[in-house]
């Protein structure tokens, strides 16, 4: 019984270490490792709402009390309309839950766009 508990505990501790990769062995005997996650590449932030108002992009996002516009990387693809993607690069580690989230603003100049240029947000809505 004690041995079974030790094996179970060892398996439980090893599972998170093995969950980030897949090892594939082909017929020639070569092992190939495939990394499934990319922690260096932040995903597009799920946003609550977005609009263009008063010469700026205004976005409402989740916040724990310390979220700022500088916590995001803004990518603008030069297309017609311009495609904008927001990625959170700094996590909000504060402990105050802001139920309605916070509004963040980037002017057209911040985005490198001409005032009134057509644009769309590629982020998923929450």
């Amino acid at each position: 019984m004690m041995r079974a508990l030790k094996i179970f505990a060892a398996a439980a501790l090893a599972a998170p270490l093995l969950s980030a990769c897949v090892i594939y062995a082909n017929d020639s005997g070569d092992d190939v490792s495939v990394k499934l996650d990319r922690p260096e590449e932040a995903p597009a932030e799920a946003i609550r709402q977005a609009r263009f108002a008063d010469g700026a992009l205004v976005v409402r996002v989740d916040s724990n009390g310390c979220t700022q516009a500088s916590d995001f990387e803004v990518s603008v693809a030069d297309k017609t309309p311009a495609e904008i993607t927001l990625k959170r690069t700094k996590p909000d580690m504060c402990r105050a839950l802001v139920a309605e989230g916070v509004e963040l603003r980037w002017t057209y100049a911040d985005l490198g766009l001409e005032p009134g240029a057509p644009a769309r947000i590629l982020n998923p809505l929450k």
Side-chain angles (χ1 to χ4, degrees):
M1 177 69 174
M2 200 60 174
R3 182 169 188 237
L5 276 173
K6 287 181 181 178
I7 291 172
F8 179 74
L13 291 172
L17 299 174
L18 298 175
S19 66
C21 69
V22 173
I23 298 176
Y24 168 80
N26 60 19
D27 292 338
S28 67
D30 296 333
D31 288 338
V32 178
S33 295
V34 179
K35 187 175 179 182
L36 297 177
D37 61 345
R38 296 183 192 165
E40 69 278 356
E41 185 177 312
E45 178 82 0
I47 59 177
R48 293 176 175 222
Q49 59 180 226
R51 67 184 188 282
F52 290 93
D54 301 323
L57 167 62
V58 181
V59 178
R60 183 170 296 276
V61 298
D62 289 338
S63 175
N64 289 337
C66 298
T67 300
Q68 301 175 24
S70 61
D71 297 340
F72 288 83
E73 171 188 286
V74 181
S75 301
V76 181
D78 188 20
K79 296 183 178 183
T80 303
E83 296 179 343
I84 301 170
T85 305
L86 303 169
K87 295 181 180 182
R88 190 184 292 260
T89 57
K90 181 181 173 194
D92 184 342
M93 302 303 283
C94 290
R95 295 181 183 220
L97 180 60
V98 182
E100 68 278 357
V102 295
E103 277 194 351
L104 305 174
R105 299 175 58 87
W106 290 271
T107 66
Y108 277 91
D110 294 337
L111 300 171
L113 298 173
E114 294 293 321
R120 66 183 182 159
I121 311 300
L122 298 182
N123 291 63
L125 289 176
K126 196 168 199 183

